[in-house]
Amino acid sequence: MERYNGLIDKYRDRLPAGAGTKIVSLNEGNTPLIELETLPRLIRKNVRIYGKFEGLNPTGSFKDRGMTMAVTKAVESGAKAIICASTGNTSAAAAAYAARAGIACFVLIPEGKIALGKLSQAMMHGSVVIQIRGNFDDGMRLVQEVARTTPVNIVNSINPYRLQGQKTIAFEVIEALPDAPDYHALPVGNAGNITAHWIGYSEAVCENTRACAFCAGKCSFHRAKIATRRPIMLGYQASGAAPILRGRPVENPETVATAIRIGNPVSWQQAVAAQQESGGWFGECTDGEILHVQKLLAQTEGVFCEPASAISLAGVLKDLELGKIGEGSTIVCTLTGHGLKDPDTAIAQSAKPLTVDAERAEIERVIRENLKT
Ligand code: F0G
């Protein structure tokens, strides 16, 4: 079998990378599609639910898919520095890929509002970490302003190469199932990822002659038709940061799912287009619902994702209960980031460790008290 060398190498014919392009990669992509075995039984529904576990990418989130493409193209164009605003994961990925490429990286993060693991990554990979007294939306505005006055290349998802890399998740889901699922659910923050999923699914049903809504026939990547259909797209936002559901920007977004603490998504219009074209919908979940499902997934399936990621499953469980998603459906939830990204939130909602004397009798007592009967 051929060695896996990352998603640009694998999908080069469907990505903007020529034969001469020098790829900057950490072997991202190729993440597992894990079928949830216990949850459908628990909720007594005849459905197949899969988690596409993006937490197993090199920096622990789906951002690596877009970053390999964005940094590859930045280096190809001669850029010496990249910049992004971030709620954490983009900064971790940008820092790692910049280190790999040997270029400078500047990241703007909202002070005190990013998870500890993500901050440690941006710092450890040697990026210049700029904490702003403001939120993600302020950071997004600032990077666009400074990109006009300084020699930095923006690697937020307004960089079209990011979405090109991220679309490959759809190809992987199709290969694993092996067709598009009935539903694909995911968290929506800055709304780039739902846009990228839809580009990928649209290209997957394209036969070269048919133009999808995004390329209007101009895209040269539509080749092999690898799926017979596209899924219904479900986008979920945290109740305290749900601009798309409210129909207007949220000035002071707040949620425990800091990754999606965003009030004015850059790809708002594209996300709505994906939802409408697919016949899908947006939904919201409270912080309580998000944390409950994050823990449920960790404790019933052994899959530890971060709070923002759990909203995809939380939303699906709610919509199954409401009957909006029917029996017999196949559903894929993108689990966008690893639970280890945010150890503070995990520890805060878990049972505290027991402290005992270093004696056999003590350990035996604890075992007896805690055995599952
Ligand atoms: N899940 C996680 C774990 C994320 O980090 C993000 C976005 C999303 C979901 C939402 O994806 O923005 O494409 O709609 N994180 C960005 C960041 C904003 O800076 O890391 P989206």
Side-chain angles (χ1 to χ4, degrees), residues 62-63 86-90 187-193 259-260 262 306 308 336:
F62 73 94
K63 302 289 180 180
S86 182
T87 56
N89 281 323
T90 300
V188 175
N190 211 23
N193 209 25
I260 52 172
I262 294 173
E306 65 172 284
T336 47

Side-chain angles (χ1 to χ4, degrees), residues 183 198 231-234 273-281:
Y183 296 90
W198 193 240
I232 291 170
M233 299 302 299
L234 309 178
Q275 170 252 321
Q276 289 179 347
E277 208 182 316
S278 76
W281 61 85

Side-chain angles (χ1 to χ4, degrees), residues 26-370:
L26 292 164
N27 287 21
E28 58 296 307
N30 197 24
T31 57
L33 188 71
I34 304 171
E35 179 161 9
L36 306 188
E37 294 177 343
T38 308
L39 270 176
R41 259 190 288 131
L42 269 183
I43 60 169
R44 298 172 197 279
K45 296 280 183 197
N46 173 29
V47 285
R48 282 179 175 267
I49 309 177
Y50 298 87
K52 178 70 171 159
F53 195 18
E54 291 290 280
L56 293 186
N57 275 298
T59 76
S61 87
F62 73 94
K63 302 289 180 180
D64 295 341
R65 290 184 187 275
M67 210 52 76
T68 182
M69 198 69 246
V71 174
T72 291
K73 296 305 278 189
V75 169
E76 191 176 57
S77 73
K80 296 278 181 284
I82 59 172
I83 190 167
C84 66
S86 182
T87 56
N89 281 323
T90 300
S91 68
Y97 284 80
R100 183 80 167 168
I103 60 174
C105 179
F106 301 90
V107 306
L108 271 67
I109 55 169
E111 185 187 23
K113 291 291 184 181
I114 84 167
L116 196 64
K118 304 173 189 181
L119 181 62
S120 75
Q121 289 178 289
M123 293 167 68
M124 188 66 184
H125 288 301
S127 70
V128 179
V129 179
I130 308 168
Q131 303 198 68
I132 58 168
R133 294 186 198 95
N135 60 28
F136 171 85
D137 303 293
D138 297 318
M140 199 61 239
R141 176 177 48 78
L142 286 165
V143 297
Q144 294 180 75
E145 286 174 19
V146 299
R148 284 184 218 117
T149 56
T150 56
V152 289
N153 195 299
I154 300 180
V155 294
N156 281 106
S157 55
I158 48 168
N159 177 329
Y161 296 121
R162 276 277 309 278
L163 300 188
Q164 286 297 315
Q166 283 174 212
K167 76 183 180 186
T168 57
I169 189 171
F171 304 154
E172 291 181 15
V173 169
I174 290 164
E175 283 165 20
L177 278 180
D179 201 341
D182 297 315
Y183 296 90
H184 194 130
L186 74 166
V188 175
N190 211 23
N193 209 25
I194 189 169
T195 305
H197 278 61
W198 193 240
I199 294 172
Y201 279 121
S202 298
E203 291 186 9
V205 292
C206 189
E207 292 169 284
N208 218 13
T209 50
R210 223 180 92 192
C212 75
F214 286 94
C215 74
K218 295 195 193 80
C219 165
S220 58
F221 312 124
H222 296 191
R223 296 260 160 73
K225 179 175 157 78
I226 56 169
T228 64
R229 56 180 186 163
R230 298 184 290 181
I232 291 170
M233 299 302 299
L234 309 178
Y236 295 104
Q237 300 204 294
S239 294
I244 298 181
L245 284 142
R246 307 283 172 264
R248 58 186 146 72
V250 173
E251 203 160 318
N252 294 305
E254 249 345 311
T255 169
V256 69
T258 51
I260 52 172
R261 186 175 168 271
I262 294 173
N264 194 10
V266 157
S267 300
W268 188 324
Q269 301 310 327
Q270 296 95 311
V272 170
Q275 170 252 321
Q276 289 179 347
E277 208 182 316
S278 76
W281 61 85
F282 293 101
E284 64 180 288
C285 295
T286 64
D287 282 2
E289 290 168 335
I290 292 169
L291 293 178
H292 170 72
V293 171
Q294 184 197 16
K295 199 164 168 178
L296 189 68
L297 184 63
Q299 301 196 347
T300 59
E301 302 283 353
V303 177
F304 184 20
C305 69
E306 65 172 284
S309 313
I311 201 174
S312 57
L313 181 61
V316 161
L317 294 181
K318 214 151 93 162
D319 286 338
L320 274 167
E321 197 55 48
L322 292 171
K324 290 174 79 175
I325 302 174
E327 297 268 343
S329 300
T330 298
I331 307 147
V332 172
C333 297
T334 304
L335 303 175
T336 47
H338 203 291
L340 288 171
K341 292 273 193 176
D342 190 353
D344 296 313
T345 303
I347 288 170
Q349 60 170 320
S350 301
K352 300 286 164 283
L354 303 167
T355 306
V356 300
D357 290 332
E359 284 170 14
R360 189 172 114 187
E362 283 290 273
I363 312 297
E364 285 172 348
R365 177 180 61 78
V366 172
I367 291 173
R368 267 186 237 108
E369 284 172 9
N370 288 279

